[in-house]
């Protein structure tokens, strides 16, 4: 509204951010090998700060789109770099460590909109939200410069990048691609889905979606210890089975009295899947943590961008109720590639 941008133009800001993330993620796998962890992460913090400044001072769509592109790039550097640090710092207990790390994503999804709302009201301008967010990467940069980082086990480049030829990595990447479709199908479209139900006047759609992210965040906190205790494949297999049951119930039971509890339990159930798939894909390749984290994040960003957009077009044609069918298809795809990843993991020797 402040810049007089149409909904159509505003919708292009999200692909701009995704393209920035994808480019940064492709670059980060090579930068982590060439420069170590600190320099790519420092570059990501600088890019992040510059992007938020560009967005805060934008006077039109083009400048704001550049800011969103750079925000995506900063997120990409952070995503791959921080996941690599977590993988390298925990030769054992990767399930718990990665789930606790990704817990803060869910916490941000719950708290971030509330902070943004408060800052916008205090500053009386949406630009204040972008300016306030500069504190995050600025503090991160200061901590990064003063903190020792865990080393990646040494390896020749041919051995380090040989992981890109391993079926386990590609099946895990495709699993995450479909997983992100499941997660963001709910995250992006459940408000619209819930608006069409008879309980929307009683429980506002924004509140219902916040409850989904809340159960998702709680699930991340508790999933890690179970992933390590049961083993990555067993934990994921059980989680996939419960997810399929819940999505089928959602597809069949259209009464909103059942839908909201199902979706809340679904949030808790899927919460540990992303970090545990990362743990499954990385535990056999300790010398290639940066390359593993980068490729997995590329597929995750692709799934987060493409599948919610496809759901939107399907909803235009068939109504928002198509969300349940889309979730069922995406869940099936996640499970198929997850099972293929399990088989590849059994055959893969540690490198």
């Amino acid at each position: 509204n402040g810049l007089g941008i149409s909904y159509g133009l505003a919708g292009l800001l999200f692909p701009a951010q995704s393209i920035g993330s994808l480019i940064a993620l492709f670059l980060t796998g090579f930068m982590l090998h060439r420069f170590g962890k600190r320099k790519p992460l420092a570059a990501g913090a600088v890019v992040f700060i510059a992007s938020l400044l560009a967005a805060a001072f934008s006077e039109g769509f083009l400048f704001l789109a550049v800011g969103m592109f750079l925000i995506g790039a900063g997120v990409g550097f952070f995503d791959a770099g921080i996941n690599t640090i977590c993988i390298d710092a925990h030769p054992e207990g990767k399930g718990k460590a990665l789930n606790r790390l990704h817990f803060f994503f869910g916490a941000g999804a719950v708290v971030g909109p509330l902070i943004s709302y408060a800052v916008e009201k205090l500053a009386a301008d949406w630009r204040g939200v972008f300016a306030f967010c500069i504190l995050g990467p600025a503090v991160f940069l200061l901590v990064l410069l003063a903190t020792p980082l865990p080393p990646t086990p040494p390896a020749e480049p041919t051995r380090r990048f040989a992981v890109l030829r391993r079926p386990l990595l590609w099946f895990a990447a495709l699993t995450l691609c479909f997983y992100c479709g499941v997660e963001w199908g709910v995250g992006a479209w459940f408000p619209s889905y819930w608006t069409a139900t008879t309980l929307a006047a009683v429980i506002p759609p924004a509140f219902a979606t916040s409850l989904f992210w809340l159960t998702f965040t709680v699930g991340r906190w508790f999933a890690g210890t179970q992933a390590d205790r049961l083993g990555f494949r067993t934990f994921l297999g059980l989680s996939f089975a419960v997810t399929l049951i819940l999505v089928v119930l959602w597809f069949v039971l259209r009464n909103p009295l059942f839908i909201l509890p199902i979706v809340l339990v679904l949030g808790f159930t899927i919460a540990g899947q992303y970090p545990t798939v990362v743990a499954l894909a990385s535990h056999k390749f300790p010398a290639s943590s940066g390359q593993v984290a980068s490729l997995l994040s590329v597929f995750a960003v692709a799934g987060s961008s493409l599948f919610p957009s496809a759901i939107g077009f399907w909803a235009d044609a068939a109504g928002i109720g198509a969300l349940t069918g889309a979730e069922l298809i995406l869940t099936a795809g996640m499970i198929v590639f997850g099972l293929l990843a399990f088989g590849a993991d059994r055959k893969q020797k540690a490198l």
Side-chain angles (χ1 to χ4, degrees):
N1 289 334
L3 296 177
I5 296 173
S6 69
Y7 287 122
L9 279 178
L12 295 177
L13 297 174
F14 300 104
Q17 182 174 338
S18 297
I19 292 169
S21 291
L22 288 171
I23 292 173
L25 287 166
F26 276 115
L27 292 174
T28 306
F30 296 95
M31 293 176 68
L32 289 168
H33 165 68
R34 179 70 178 82
F35 301 110
K37 303 180 186 70
R38 198 179 307 274
K39 290 181 180 178
L41 281 168
V46 172
V47 170
F48 217 149
I49 292 169
S51 69
L52 292 165
L53 285 170
F57 290 99
S58 58
E59 296 295 337
F61 169 76
L62 184 59
F63 211 61
L64 183 58
V66 171
M68 295 300 290
F69 172 84
L70 292 174
I71 285 175
V75 169
F77 282 118
F78 275 18
D79 192 349
I82 294 173
N83 273 299
T84 301
I85 288 175
C86 187
I87 291 168
D88 288 344
H90 298 88
E92 303 294 334
K94 280 183 172 59
K96 179 179 179 180
L98 285 162
N99 273 281
R100 294 289 168 86
L101 172 66
H102 286 259
F103 161 84
F104 289 93
F105 167 82
V110 174
V111 176
L114 300 176
I115 295 175
S116 297
Y117 176 79
V119 171
E120 184 180 5
K121 292 301 180 183
L122 290 172
D125 191 350
W126 58 270
R127 300 175 190 275
V129 177
F130 285 102
F132 178 80
C133 287
I134 291 172
L135 286 173
V139 171
F140 175 85
L141 181 59
L142 293 175
V143 173
L144 174 69
L145 296 176
T147 304
L149 301 181
T152 299
E156 294 296 321
T158 52
R159 178 187 169 198
R160 184 158 286 167
F161 287 94
V163 68
L164 299 177
R165 299 195 298 270
R166 304 299 174 180
L168 170 59
L169 180 60
W170 291 96
F171 287 141
L174 288 165
T175 303
L176 287 187
C177 185
F178 278 86
Y179 162 85
C180 286
V182 174
E183 176 190 325
W184 282 104
V186 179
W189 290 110
F190 190 68
S192 300
Y193 181 91
W194 188 251
T195 299
T197 69
T198 55
L199 287 182
V202 180
I203 304 175
F207 181 71
T209 308
S210 294
L211 290 177
F212 164 77
W213 288 117
L214 180 61
T215 60
F216 178 88
T217 303
V218 172
R220 282 259 164 102
W221 186 260
F222 289 104
T225 52
Q226 298 306 312
D228 285 331
R229 185 177 69 85
L230 296 173
F232 302 148
R233 294 198 302 265
T234 301
F235 172 83
L236 286 169
L238 292 171
S239 180
F240 288 162
V242 175
T243 300
L244 181 60
I245 292 169
L246 290 168
V247 173
V248 169
L249 287 174
W250 185 12
F251 183 79
V252 174
L253 302 174
R254 300 302 179 100
N255 189 319
L257 289 173
F258 298 113
I259 290 171
L260 187 57
I262 288 170
V263 169
L264 297 186
V265 177
L266 180 65
F268 184 88
T269 302
I270 68 172
Q273 291 171 1
Y274 187 116
T276 308
V277 170
V278 175
L280 177 74
S282 63
H283 75 126
K284 297 285 182 71
F285 311 114
S288 304
S289 52
Q291 291 68 43
V292 170
S294 297
L295 185 72
L296 294 180
S297 295
V298 165
F299 277 77
V301 170
S304 301
S305 304
L306 297 176
F307 288 127
S309 298
I311 292 171
F313 286 114
W314 191 2
D316 281 338
I320 192 61
L323 174 61
T324 58
E327 288 289 301
L328 188 57
I329 292 170
L330 291 168
T331 299
M334 176 182 71
I335 292 173
V336 167
F337 285 111
L339 293 175
L340 290 171
F342 295 171
D345 180 59
R346 291 189 188 95
K347 298 175 183 177
Q348 178 63 56
K349 296 179 180 178
L351 296 180

